[in-house]
Amino acid sequence: MDYEYWGLVFRHISPYMWASLGCALAIGLSVAGAAWGIFLTGSSLVGAAVKAPRITSKNLISVIFCEAAAIYGVITAIILQTKVEDVPIGSDGEWSVKILKAGYAVFGSGLCVGLSNLVCGICVGIVGSSCALADAQNSTLFVKILVIEIFGSALGLFGVIVAIIISGMERNTRHVSFSLLLQNSFC
């Protein structure tokens, strides 16, 4: 594999494209995770409500937790979009390294929050589905399973926190090499 060629390709792709793709992934994957979770929770909730109609209103909290994953993605995309500024291309026709790093940082942040919220939405949907079915059988299990659902929803918040850290690193990467960062993180 010719790594020099791929480096050349990535250096000539606009950092605005990377930043825009990161914002799109943050929203798109987060909404997909929320939709998948709502599908899983909602179908079990409606099915279990046939046997025990009392669970319908109280188990809607599971749908709200799924929707939170989409909201995390939208908030992160708004934060990331504020980091995009108009910067001219260099006199040599290439982007500066600092601008490329900033574009990659916004892309990585969007990918991070999008994937974490995709998994978060699915996790909350599966646990919410189990919560609805268990609550239909035994109402004392609702709070116990709701605690597990809260832990699943925290995965999305972790993704948002990591994305904010990644997007903030683009300002501080001038004197830090990637290999040094890896060495210090595993010590």
Side-chain angles (χ1 to χ4, degrees):
M1 178 172 269
D2 187 9
Y3 292 111
E4 279 188 44
Y5 172 74
W6 283 107
L8 184 68
V9 168
F10 282 116
R11 276 194 307 274
H12 284 86
I13 294 176
S14 170
Y16 294 109
M17 191 278 307
W18 291 113
S20 299
L21 187 60
C23 293
L25 286 172
I27 292 176
L29 292 175
S30 296
V31 169
W36 199 342
I38 290 170
F39 166 70
L40 292 170
T41 297
S43 59
S44 295
L45 179 59
V46 170
V50 171
K51 180 184 182 294
R54 64 177 169 71
I55 71 165
T56 308
S57 60
K58 128 171 118 167
N59 277 287
L60 283 178
I61 191 79
S62 300
V63 174
I64 294 168
F65 281 145
C66 290
E67 192 60 37
I71 293 169
Y72 296 154
V74 170
I75 290 170
T76 305
I78 291 169
I79 291 170
L80 294 177
Q81 192 61 39
T82 61
K83 294 183 176 290
V84 177
E85 299 174 358
D86 187 26
V87 178
I89 197 165
S91 60
D92 58 353
E94 293 189 11
W95 299 99
S96 71
V97 175
K98 184 177 180 181
I99 302 302
L100 286 172
K101 285 181 181 180
Y104 297 148
V106 172
F107 170 73
S109 298
L111 185 64
C112 173
V113 78
L115 289 175
S116 68
N117 283 319
L118 177 69
V119 173
C120 170
I122 294 169
C123 173
V124 171
I126 291 171
V127 175
S129 171
S130 301
C131 185
L133 295 174
D135 188 26
Q137 293 294 323
N138 184 357
S139 63
T140 61
L141 295 174
F142 176 73
V143 175
K144 296 172 185 170
I145 296 177
L146 192 63
V147 170
I148 297 169
E149 197 168 354
I150 291 169
F151 288 135
S153 183
L155 294 173
L157 276 176
F158 295 150
V160 171
I161 292 167
V162 171
I164 290 171
I165 291 170
I166 291 172
S167 69
M169 285 179 65
E170 51 89 12
R171 282 186 241 125
N172 303 322
T173 55
R174 207 166 84 189
H175 299 294
V176 178
S177 70
F178 186 68
S179 60
L180 182 65
L181 186 66
L182 283 177
Q183 287 173 350
N184 290 338
S185 64
F186 292 114
C187 292

